[in-house]
């Protein structure tokens, strides 16, 4: 190409899929702004994760692609519509491959189109003019967000802490004197979801040593499971259903500690700077660990229910002690 990344002024970042995947583009966005704060960033997202965009920083504009309908027709119509913006660089921000990664940037018409591609190439890979060959080692040997960052700078070997994902919580609610613990009974990865019996036993034992309020986050579809947990917890606990995404962000942001299975909620808690204990089962801590120095991770190779309750209890105790010390110290 006739220009370098340093001379580029407008970037289109294409990212679909989950909230967690979208948050993992935040280090890339920060990196682009660190090159030149005047760089313009357009985020092109799926309607399934678009609610998160308003809480992210450094986004100059964004567009939403519907998740239902003929994707190639949608990519064609929206891509051609946005061509007038004449982006210098488009980045398919996915540590993986897929036909959308090549087809949509081509329709968008960016001068430099960056994406991981298959080996051997698929027909849509030939539409990328700055390809990076993807291998399984690429995915499994590094953090997902680092893989996204390397689309722009292959020399990076780690994610600087100042590039860790951050989202804004505009809630006016203040932290109370009594500690707040958030647990969740909703997770699309069964291997990362602790049973209600184990969760209740840990919380009840913890309640003998610490004073805290327990909040149970749940989707409407998991309400019965939340009710079951609520009945098993001895001390006062509150079930929270948050159909509005802003209320979900506000709920997490008001907590002192989150006790979660690996997933999008874990990444949101990390990006809000909330202390957490995250349980990993059949998910890679190398690839998906929360980007936060306030997170503790426990893992079992197949299922979190194989982690001893004693180990979980000790980790949560240490987390509450840490948070209590920070509050006393005014941190």
């Amino acid at each position: 190409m006739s220009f370098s990344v340093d001379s580029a002024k407008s970037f289109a970042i294409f990212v679909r899929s989950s909230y967690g995947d979208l948050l993992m583009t935040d280090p890339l966005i920060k990196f682009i702004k660190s090159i030149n704060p005047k760089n313009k960033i357009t985020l092109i997202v799926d309607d399934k994760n678009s609610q998160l965009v308003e809480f992210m920083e450094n986004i100059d504009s964004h567009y939403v692609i519907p998740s239902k309908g003929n994707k190639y027709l949608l990519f064609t119509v929206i891509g051609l519509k946005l061509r007038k913006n004449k982006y210098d660089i488009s980045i398919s921000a996915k540590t993986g491959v897929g036909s959308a990664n090549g087809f949509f940037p081509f329709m968008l018409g960016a001068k430099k189109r960056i994406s991981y591609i298959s080996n051997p190439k698929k027909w849509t890979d030939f539409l990328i003019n700055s390809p990076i060959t993807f291998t399984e080692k690429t995915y499994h040997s590094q953090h997902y967000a680092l893989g996204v960052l390397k689309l722009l700078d292959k020399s990076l070997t780690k994610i600087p802490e100042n590039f860790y994902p951050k989202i804004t919580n505009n809630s006016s609610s203040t932290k109370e004197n009594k500690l707040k613990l958030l647990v969740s009974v909703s997770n699309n990865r069964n291997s990362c979801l602790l049973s209600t019996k184990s969760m209740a036993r840990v919380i009840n034992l913890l309640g003998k040593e610490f004073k805290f309020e327990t909040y149970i986050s749940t989707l409407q579809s998991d309400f019965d499971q939340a009710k079951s947990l609520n009945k098993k917890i001895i001390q006062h606990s509150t079930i929270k259903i948050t159909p509005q995404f802003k209320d979900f962000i506000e709920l997490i942001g008001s907590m002192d500690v989150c006790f979660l299975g690996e997933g999008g909620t874990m990444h949101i808690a990390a990006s809000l700077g909330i202390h957490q204990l995250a349980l990993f089962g059949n998910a890679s801590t190398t690839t998906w660990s929360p980007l936060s120095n306030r997170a503790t991770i426990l893992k079992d190779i197949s299922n979190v229910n194989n982690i001893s309750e004693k180990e979980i209890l000790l980790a949560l105790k240490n987390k509450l002690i840490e948070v209590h010390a920070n509050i006393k110290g005014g941190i």
Side-chain angles (χ1 to χ4, degrees):
M1 301 300 295
S2 60
F3 66 96
S4 67
V5 169
D6 289 342
S7 65
K9 295 180 180 178
S10 60
F11 293 75
I13 299 176
F14 175 52
V15 54
R16 304 172 74 205
S17 195
S18 66
Y19 292 125
D21 288 20
L22 178 52
L23 274 175
M24 293 306 101
T25 67
D26 198 41
L28 172 66
I29 292 165
K30 287 182 168 65
F31 180 59
I32 292 170
K33 288 291 188 179
S34 74
I35 296 171
N36 185 346
K38 293 183 179 180
N39 282 338
K40 299 298 181 184
I41 294 176
T42 298
L43 205 54
I44 301 163
V45 299
D46 196 298
D47 57 11
K48 292 182 292 187
N49 62 18
S50 60
Q51 294 179 87
L52 180 60
V53 175
E54 68 175 281
F55 300 94
M56 297 176 68
E57 301 172 334
N58 300 309
I59 308 299
D60 296 292
S61 59
H62 80 279
Y63 297 91
V64 178
I65 297 177
S67 56
K68 294 181 180 179
N70 184 301
K71 67 178 182 179
Y72 288 109
L73 178 60
L74 290 168
F75 292 157
T76 300
V77 171
I78 295 173
L80 291 176
K81 179 181 176 181
L82 298 181
R83 275 198 174 195
K84 64 180 184 295
N85 296 327
K86 297 181 180 180
Y87 299 108
D88 291 321
I89 294 178
S90 71
I91 303 171
S92 296
K94 177 181 179 180
T95 306
V97 295
S99 59
N101 290 0
F103 187 79
F104 179 72
F106 177 76
M107 300 311 300
L108 196 62
K111 297 174 186 174
K112 186 171 186 176
R113 301 183 291 279
I114 305 173
S115 175
Y116 285 110
I117 63 166
S118 307
N119 184 19
K121 289 183 178 182
K122 297 178 181 178
W123 71 271
T124 51
D125 292 332
F126 289 97
L127 305 177
I128 294 295
N129 58 17
S130 295
I132 301 172
T133 301
F134 174 81
T135 64
E136 285 300 314
K137 185 179 179 182
T138 304
Y139 182 86
H140 293 293
S141 65
Q142 62 190 6
H143 200 280
Y144 188 93
L146 181 58
V148 172
L149 263 175
K150 282 186 170 183
L151 284 163
L152 204 57
D153 189 340
K154 296 178 186 177
S155 69
L156 292 169
T157 57
K158 65 178 183 178
I159 306 165
E161 282 195 22
N162 61 315
F163 287 175
Y164 281 4
K166 293 287 183 293
I167 58 177
T168 57
N169 176 18
N170 297 320
S171 167
S172 58
S173 62
T174 56
K175 296 284 179 74
E176 300 172 5
N177 291 330
K178 186 176 281 190
L179 295 175
K180 290 183 175 183
L181 173 70
L182 180 77
V183 299
S184 176
V185 297
S186 295
N187 195 311
N188 59 10
R189 296 175 179 85
N190 289 332
S191 66
C192 296
L193 186 61
L194 195 65
S195 72
T196 54
K197 287 183 179 179
S198 292
M199 206 179 294
R201 278 196 292 263
V202 168
I203 292 170
N204 289 336
L205 287 170
L206 203 62
K208 293 179 179 180
E209 297 184 46
F210 299 90
K211 290 183 178 180
F212 58 88
E213 292 278 350
T214 302
Y215 292 81
I216 305 168
S217 175
T218 181
L219 297 173
Q220 184 65 55
S221 57
D222 299 317
F223 183 73
D224 287 344
Q225 196 171 343
K227 273 179 66 178
S228 175
L229 177 60
N230 191 41
K231 288 178 180 178
K232 290 179 174 67
I233 296 174
I234 297 170
Q235 61 270 35
H236 182 262
S237 60
T238 304
I239 297 174
K240 287 285 188 178
I241 302 175
T242 49
Q244 296 294 320
F245 189 73
K246 64 180 182 62
D247 296 329
F248 183 56
I249 294 291
E250 182 177 336
L251 174 65
I252 298 173
S254 68
M255 293 295 121
D256 294 291
V257 177
C258 289
F259 176 28
L260 304 165
E262 187 273 335
T265 303
M266 171 195 76
H267 291 298
I268 290 171
S271 66
L272 286 167
I274 305 301
H275 292 265
Q276 67 174 299
L277 172 63
L279 304 182
F280 275 67
N282 196 25
S284 170
T285 54
T286 299
T287 307
W288 289 110
S289 61
L291 293 173
S292 167
N293 55 17
R294 294 185 170 186
T296 297
I297 295 172
L298 294 179
K299 176 175 173 59
D300 181 84
I301 194 168
S302 58
N303 193 295
V304 298
N305 289 285
N306 296 327
I307 303 171
S308 74
E309 290 177 11
K310 184 177 179 181
E311 187 178 3
I312 294 171
L313 179 62
L314 179 60
L316 267 178
K317 277 184 182 180
N318 290 336
K319 188 57 66 178
L320 285 175
I321 290 169
E322 180 186 353
V323 171
H324 187 66
N326 288 346
I327 292 172
K328 273 194 161 186
I331 297 175

